[in-house]
Amino acid sequence: MTRSSKNENQNEFDPYTFLRIIRNPDGSLTRSETFPPSPPNSSPTGPVLSKDVPLNPAHNTWTRIFRPHNPNPSSSTTLPIIIYFHGGGFVLFSAASQPFHAFCERMASEIPAIIVSVEYRLAPEHRLPAAYDDAADAIRWVRVDSLRDPWFDSGDPSRCFLMGGSAGGNIVYHAALRAADLQIAGLILSEPYFGGEERTESELRLVRDRILPLPANDLLWSLSLPDGADRDHEFCNPLVGGEHEDRVGHLPRCLVTGHGQDPLVDRQRELVRMLEGRGVKVVSHFSEDGFHGVELFDPRKLEELMSRIMDFVSSHKITSQL
């Protein structure tokens, strides 16, 4: 790592304009819709059914559940359950946003699996750890209340995975630390969103990245971390330890993926080294090409990620029988 200069030249880049958000006098945000929302699919003709289910009415949270019409009978008589958390720097997007809806549909169809996509609370209206609390609600719901839902009749609770992309990957990590007493089969962290006060080489090299430029990244953290916290807070920087540090070594198997043209790739590699150093079994894949969130836009990268998820999920069935 190299210490950042206080005079990093950003050419008066406006991160609020870049992120299409406006800060209101009361501290809330007005967000412009980047991706259109997709409704749940109740049509019997498609490969996947989906429906929205309330999670915590007091917090106005909910889940979108995806279930394949005709699971592949050769894979298993039951389906794995994947609890999914979308990206957006804790500030943007929804479980209903079109790219995340489409991604979950594809997972449900191809793995196949029951997908529970979580509509968690966004910052700065609800700063961290609100999203982690909502994740805990979702895990408890899947573990207890979902058993009364006929959509889960074909689900296998012993094969329950947590998955997230970008900020969703961060949520997976922290939610798993808080759910150490529950049986989670594995964690899937796609380009997980972490940071720190010191700049990494990839952050400086990609300071003007077209997806996650450094000023926008810094703004997202300032909006989502607890008031007064800097980027070396435990929610942002997993290397500093924190309240649940003693639980890191008890995390289940992890799949971590990243790309060389992502400003956060050095953070993701650091996470892998830290987890392995604590004795966690990690499967990691880092490609030289690809940018942050590339799988939402590039069919080839989506296919690669889907294949790795399928291998990781199916390998649990094999190892658990040994």
Side-chain angles (χ1 to χ4, degrees):
M1 279 189 172
T2 58
R3 179 68 63 179
S4 65
S5 168
K6 293 183 179 180
N7 297 316
E8 290 168 347
N9 179 16
Q10 302 302 325
N11 292 336
E12 299 182 354
F13 177 90
D14 181 2
Y16 281 92
T17 299
F18 178 83
L19 295 171
R20 303 179 68 183
I21 56 176
I22 298 172
R23 190 73 179 266
N24 300 318
D26 64 356
S28 65
L29 295 181
T30 298
R31 300 166 174 84
S32 297
E33 196 68 64
T34 302
F35 301 121
S38 294
N41 178 31
S42 59
S43 171
T45 59
V48 174
L49 287 171
S50 55
K51 68 175 181 178
D52 294 343
V53 176
L55 181 59
N56 187 331
H59 295 156
N60 198 31
T61 54
W62 46 272
T63 64
R64 177 162 293 182
I65 304 170
F66 299 80
R67 188 192 72 178
H69 266 303
N70 298 303
N72 181 359
S74 65
S75 62
S76 174
T77 56
T78 59
L79 299 174
I81 301 169
I82 299 177
I83 306 175
Y84 176 78
F85 304 91
H86 67 80
F90 307 106
V91 172
L92 302 171
F93 311 136
S94 163
S97 296
Q98 190 277 329
F100 305 118
H101 175 90
F103 182 81
C104 289
E105 279 196 322
R106 182 155 180 176
M107 279 201 299
S109 175
E110 292 192 10
I111 291 177
I114 296 172
I115 311 297
V116 180
S117 183
V118 182
E119 178 74 353
Y120 56 86
R121 288 171 291 173
L122 298 179
E125 295 86 351
H126 306 282
R127 291 177 176 267
L128 296 173
Y132 307 152
D133 295 338
D134 297 340
D137 284 346
I139 295 170
R140 283 192 295 268
W141 184 88
V142 168
R143 282 306 199 184
V144 180
D145 295 337
S146 71
L147 300 178
R148 298 191 292 268
D149 189 323
W151 275 40
F152 286 81
D153 287 348
S154 59
D156 182 354
S158 71
R159 291 191 291 153
C160 181
F161 296 81
L162 306 184
M163 179 187 174
S166 190
N170 177 298
I171 293 172
V172 163
Y173 175 77
H174 286 285
L177 290 178
R178 286 160 172 75
D181 57 331
L182 298 177
Q183 291 184 342
I184 302 297
L187 312 180
I188 304 169
L189 298 87
S190 174
E191 305 156 321
Y193 188 60
F194 293 103
E197 282 297 300
E198 291 190 10
R199 304 300 190 192
T200 65
E201 186 279 332
S202 60
E203 287 172 339
L204 294 174
R205 172 170 50 89
L206 298 165
V207 63
R208 304 175 192 274
D209 182 63
R210 63 191 180 96
I211 300 296
L212 193 61
L214 199 58
N217 182 42
D218 289 352
L219 176 59
L220 290 170
W221 281 119
S222 72
L223 292 172
S224 57
L225 287 170
D227 284 326
D230 65 19
R231 292 190 305 276
D232 278 334
H233 189 280
E234 62 178 286
F235 295 164
C236 178
N237 188 347
L239 304 187
V240 301
E243 179 182 358
H244 303 293
E245 181 179 10
D246 60 330
R247 301 181 183 179
V248 173
H250 300 285
L251 290 174
R253 292 187 317 133
C254 297
L255 169 64
V256 182
T257 66
H259 301 284
Q261 300 310 306
D262 180 353
L264 305 184
V265 68
D266 287 348
R267 304 283 182 192
Q268 296 151 8
R269 292 184 186 276
E270 287 176 344
L271 176 72
V272 169
R273 289 193 291 268
M274 184 272 286
L275 292 174
E276 291 177 334
R278 300 292 186 89
V280 179
K281 295 181 180 179
V282 182
V283 178
S284 62
H285 295 276
F286 290 94
S287 61
E288 290 304 315
D289 62 336
F291 51 86
H292 193 75
V294 65
E295 70 280 355
L296 299 177
F297 308 98
D298 184 332
R300 179 176 60 89
K301 287 296 185 182
L302 173 60
E303 188 67 33
E304 290 177 3
L305 177 60
M306 201 64 58
S307 177
R308 286 171 184 144
I309 295 170
M310 292 170 67
D311 289 345
F312 184 76
V313 171
S314 63
S315 68
H316 173 76
K317 180 182 177 182
I318 296 172
T319 57
S320 64
Q321 292 176 345
L322 295 178

